[in-house]
Amino acid sequence: AQSVTQLDSQVPVFEEAPVELRCNYSSSVSVYLFWYVQYPNQGLQLLLKYLSGSTLVKGINGFEAEFNKSQTSFHLRKPSVHISDTAEYFCAVSTNSGGSNYKLTFGKGTLLTVNP
Amino acid sequence: DVKVTQSSRYLVKRTGEKVFLECVQDMDHENMFWYRQDPGLGLRLIYFSYDVKMKEKGDIPEGYSVSREKKERFSLILESASTNQTSMYLCASSLIGAGSYEQYFGPGTRLTVT
């Protein structure tokens, strides 16, 4: 079974500082990896995804993530955060549930709080 | 623009009531999903459907059922609501096929069972 571990449940940072949100996954087969963001009282929105090819993936709002197969990691980074980046971030791995059906397995989330 | 809508943002029900949560997508997606979200537990899959009238259990189906009579609509049913079903419920949809397809989420329904 697939699993996703987000190593930090909360990450407080100051505005304009860099941030890294860590994600490790377990899988015995090829995976598709995703980062979603959830702003307060909203649904989830896709930040970026890794399918294949370049291990450095760029997403919206200045975020990027690096896929590391040997370490089974997919850490999310931003060089300079803003107050508006305060949100909960979820890492997810796509798994095959049979035939052409896929479902996402989510980590438990990391709450990023950006302070002035 | 991609759109997934949920019938209510906030809902308060009493223990034992039958509760219907509705989700509609306008993207002609084959797959639809229901999750519940609880603090510290992330998103957990309740049920999903990959076609009309088709459904599969997710990780936590107990106490829930679903209905998909039309492609665009996926309903979550709590036959007899209990206080431990107080939670945020999120609906999502995606294309069928390669797992590279992202899921699109609705805004969520915060259900309180008293």
Side-chain angles (χ1 to χ4, degrees), chain A residues 66-103:
Chain A
E66 185 153 21
F67 170 62
N68 188 319
K69 188 175 182 178
S70 62
Q71 296 190 8
T72 60
S73 68
F74 190 52
H75 301 333
L76 182 71
R77 301 186 183 101
K78 186 170 182 178
S80 175
V81 294
H82 303 290
I83 300 284
S84 59
D85 292 322
T86 294
E88 190 151 26
Y89 293 79
F90 292 94
C91 182
V93 61
S94 181
T95 60
N96 188 285
S97 61
S100 58
N101 298 319
Y102 287 78
K103 58 179 184 176

Side-chain angles (χ1 to χ4, degrees), chain B residues 51-92:
Chain B
D51 200 353
V52 174
K53 296 191 186 295
M54 306 300 286
K55 62 185 180 184
E56 281 200 25
K57 292 180 180 179
D59 301 316
I60 51 164
E62 297 78 18
Y64 303 94
S65 62
V66 290
S67 172
R68 191 161 180 207
E69 297 295 320
K70 293 185 177 181
K71 189 175 184 180
E72 66 271 18
R73 188 179 297 269
F74 192 34
S75 303
L76 181 69
I77 303 155
L78 287 67
E79 294 289 343
S80 177
S82 64
T83 54
N84 62 13
Q85 292 178 309
T86 290
S87 186
M88 170 72 91
Y89 290 88
L90 292 165
C91 176

Side-chain angles (χ1 to χ4, degrees), chain A residues 14-52:
Chain A
F14 287 109
E15 195 173 16
E16 298 183 7
V19 70
E20 178 179 81
L21 305 184
R22 297 179 294 167
C23 173
N24 285 93
Y25 66 93
S26 70
S27 173
S28 58
V29 296
S30 298
V31 295
Y32 302 112
L33 293 158
F34 302 80
W35 274 100
Y36 283 84
V37 60
Q38 185 180 35
Y39 299 104
N41 296 315
Q42 294 186 27
L44 275 68
Q45 176 185 353
L46 182 71
L47 266 182
L48 49 79
K49 60 183 177 182
Y50 171 78
L51 308 179
S52 64

Side-chain angles (χ1 to χ4, degrees), chain B:
Chain B
D1 233 7
V2 162
K3 198 77 173 178
V4 179
T5 56
Q6 296 183 229
S7 51
S8 306
R9 292 299 305 273
Y10 299 93
L11 211 52
V12 179
K13 296 292 182 181
R14 298 203 172 189
T15 302
E17 278 194 83
K18 191 169 185 175
V19 181
F20 292 87
L21 303 182
E22 305 284 338
C23 175
V24 177
Q25 51 97 1
D26 66 358
M27 297 162 283
D28 203 33
H29 284 170
E30 295 89 353
N31 287 340
M32 295 189 76
F33 307 83
W34 274 107
Y35 297 89
R36 67 175 281 175
Q37 181 181 13
D38 300 288
L41 297 179
L43 276 74
R44 293 179 291 168
L45 182 64
I46 304 172
Y47 268 97
F48 67 102
S49 168
Y50 50 89
D51 200 353
V52 174
K53 296 191 186 295
M54 306 300 286
K55 62 185 180 184
E56 281 200 25
K57 292 180 180 179
D59 301 316
I60 51 164
E62 297 78 18
Y64 303 94
S65 62
V66 290
S67 172
R68 191 161 180 207
E69 297 295 320
K70 293 185 177 181
K71 189 175 184 180
E72 66 271 18
R73 188 179 297 269
F74 192 34
S75 303
L76 181 69
I77 303 155
L78 287 67
E79 294 289 343
S80 177
S82 64
T83 54
N84 62 13
Q85 292 178 309
T86 290
S87 186
M88 170 72 91
Y89 290 88
L90 292 165
C91 176
S93 72
S94 75
L95 290 168
I96 204 166
S100 58
Y101 294 124
E102 69 176 277
Q103 291 185 15
Y104 293 86
F105 284 82
T109 296
R110 188 167 294 281
L111 173 67
T112 302
V113 182
T114 61

